[in-house]
Amino acid sequence: MRRVVVLWFPDWPVYTVALRRGWDLLAPAAVVDNHRVHAVNAAARRAGVRQGMKERHAVGTCPSLQVGEVEEAAEAEAHEEVLLALESVAAGVETLRPGLLAFSASSLVRYYGDEATAVELLVDAAARVGADCLAGVADEVVTAVWAARDGRQVPAGGSRDYLAGLPLQVLVAEGSLGVPRDMVSVLSQLGIRTLADFTALPVADVAGRFGQEGVRWHRIACGEPERPVSPERTVIPLEVRVEPEELVADTGTAAFLARQAAVRLHAALVEKGQVCLRLAVRAHLDPPAGYDGPTTVERLWRCREPLTEEDTAQRVRWQLDGWLTRVRATLPGSPESPESPDGVGGISAIDLAPVECVPAGEVADALWGGPDVGIRAARAAAARAQALIGTRGVLRPVHCGGRAVAGRVAAVPYGEQDPEEVDALSTRAWDGELPAPLPALVGAPDTTGDRPRPPGPRHPAASVQLLDAAGGQVWVTGRGMMSAPPVALRWGGAVHRLTGWAGPWPVDEMWWSQSGAARRYARLQVATDGPAAFLLVCRGRSWRIEATY
């Protein structure tokens, strides 16, 4: 039986920025993107900092918080440092994604004698470069990934028993595995709560509803063996080498070289009718004086879907950037910027070698819910936009639950997994949430036009009044009741007659908090004789428009 060891590095974006800036790795730290917290470490979570917080709120919650911007170059450099440290213990490291690495346990056991010793040496090697990680051992790659998040060593032949106790949501806990989220959502709606419930479904029924992809994950949930780590090539070896006329010493030229290599590789794959699932990227370095590191470096990439030409180019470019950054970091007195120095050596050639290929068309889409031509085009457009403006310039909405309207959806970069705190929720349906139908626009139309705006403190929507039949103001009492039946809405100088209203729905949140996070308010739906209906929020005797129907 081929055993697998997986190392999972929690809070990878925070670690990489902390390493670049020389922060205390045990102190609270966070990285932000567009003034919102992108990732935090364990110390910051204990202090109350959460992903998605505004930067100023995070600093207010934890005044000692170390804050930095997201740095993709730092992630590439740290990835190389960790891999070099681990290569002193094990060969054949497979990168599932930066911060998630897999090893063949069989070869480690043959060399070190037992799994526990091998795992201890791997964790120690990562710790020597300041990277904390959790290790998981199992019979299959996917099971080992889930075991690593718990720091578990699953005994040989015990995958099925271990998997049976895991919740269904563990399927989407790791985005690099590529589990169809629509499938998990449908299973949840059907009352499936654990992997044991999933495996109890007949395979024929799973195939009829979810197609080939559903059957594959059903087998994985049953603990059936999958492919090994870094398998031997099963097709005729195919390798592409690109040798530039001059040494590649800057990231711009590296991007061009990566694109050229990807074009040649995929042209060769097309001739053989193959697609690549695992790719080895090998660079030959012409180092400058004073460099004593390796002159040939190789990394292996595993992909959840067949690599396209664009995917290959992006991975190769990312890897070349990391190598160039690391070469400069090893030179005493060299600038940190990879664009600045001249005559410091560079990359003389790169090789692309498909490690695992399958016939084109063998990886089929699901019977229902699979991507069609339009979805593929949208994904390609999003990937091109991210290449131009950055990965965090293209966002997608994620339903995270909540009682208010504005906080029920979070934005995450396209292609990334949902935030951990969202995945950890047992349900995204909250008690006391606003009933359907939901508003179409968060905010209210501007008084000078039809453009919607969130109702800030100075916005006209933050100053409205409800009136009773006698013209007096109406509010929600402390018992959650209307002080009088409302008949009109006064907004600025205009008075709109109400044609209907519903509520109020009192909300009393975080009443136990001593940090000022407690909120008490009431919501009311009103329809006016004009073209709009509104969702109103009452605090004390003040009303504001939260959303427009």
Side-chain angles (χ1 to χ4, degrees), residues 308 310-311 314 317 373-397 412-416:
T308 64
E310 185 68 27
D311 295 334
Q314 288 181 356
R317 183 180 69 175
V373 176
I375 295 179
R376 289 193 183 97
R379 290 176 177 172
R384 287 194 296 270
Q386 286 179 321
L388 293 174
I389 62 178
T391 57
R392 290 165 184 85
V394 182
L395 306 177
R396 64 179 179 86
V412 300
Y414 179 81
E416 292 190 6

Side-chain angles (χ1 to χ4, degrees), residues 460-528:
S463 179
V464 298
Q465 295 177 342
L466 282 182
L467 308 177
D468 59 16
Q473 294 190 30
V474 178
W475 65 90
V476 179
T477 67
R479 296 181 178 272
M481 305 293 290
M482 301 296 295
S483 61
V487 298
L489 171 70
R490 177 186 293 160
W491 185 9
V495 176
H496 304 277
R497 305 297 298 180
L498 300 187
T499 59
W501 58 279
W505 297 284
V507 177
D508 193 356
E509 297 179 319
M510 302 290 290
W511 51 267
W512 60 87
S513 175
Q514 302 297 323
S515 60
R519 296 191 305 168
R520 188 177 185 182
Y521 59 93
R523 297 190 301 263
L524 187 75
Q525 292 174 329
V526 297
T528 68

Side-chain angles (χ1 to χ4, degrees), residues 223-418:
E224 296 183 12
E226 254 215 322
R227 60 96 182 167
V229 174
S230 303
E232 297 180 357
R233 300 179 186 178
T234 58
V235 299
I236 299 175
L238 174 66
E239 192 167 299
V240 171
R241 166 170 287 205
V242 177
E243 299 185 43
E245 296 181 358
E246 298 180 356
L247 294 181
V248 175
D250 63 87
T251 56
T253 309
F256 176 79
L257 185 66
R259 184 69 183 183
Q260 183 181 4
V263 170
R264 292 180 56 182
L265 173 65
H266 281 267
L269 289 172
V270 169
E271 289 182 2
K272 294 183 176 293
Q274 303 282 332
V275 292
C276 179
L277 295 179
R278 261 174 292 282
L279 176 69
V281 181
R282 185 184 309 116
H284 302 273
L285 306 178
D286 188 356
Y291 175 79
D292 58 357
T295 57
T296 301
V297 284
E298 180 176 340
R299 295 290 176 260
L300 186 69
W301 285 95
R302 173 184 178 267
C303 310
R304 62 189 186 187
E305 296 177 352
L307 280 172
T308 64
E309 185 177 301
E310 185 68 27
D311 295 334
T312 302
Q314 288 181 356
R315 282 166 171 78
V316 175
R317 183 180 69 175
W318 185 91
Q319 200 66 70
L320 296 182
D321 288 348
W323 282 325
L324 290 171
T325 303
R326 184 185 177 280
V327 168
R328 286 182 174 77
T330 59
L331 297 177
S334 293
E336 291 185 0
S337 173
E339 309 290 348
S340 55
D342 294 324
V344 296
I347 297 173
S348 59
I350 63 170
D351 300 327
L352 302 185
V355 175
E356 182 179 354
C357 293
V358 296
E362 183 172 302
V363 180
D365 298 330
L367 182 60
W368 284 292
D372 57 13
V373 176
I375 295 179
R376 289 193 183 97
R379 290 176 177 172
R384 287 194 296 270
Q386 286 179 321
L388 293 174
I389 62 178
T391 57
R392 290 165 184 85
V394 182
L395 306 177
R396 64 179 179 86
V398 175
H399 177 55
C400 55
R403 296 183 179 89
V405 178
R408 297 176 73 168
V409 176
V412 300
Y414 179 81
E416 292 190 6
Q417 61 182 352
D418 293 351

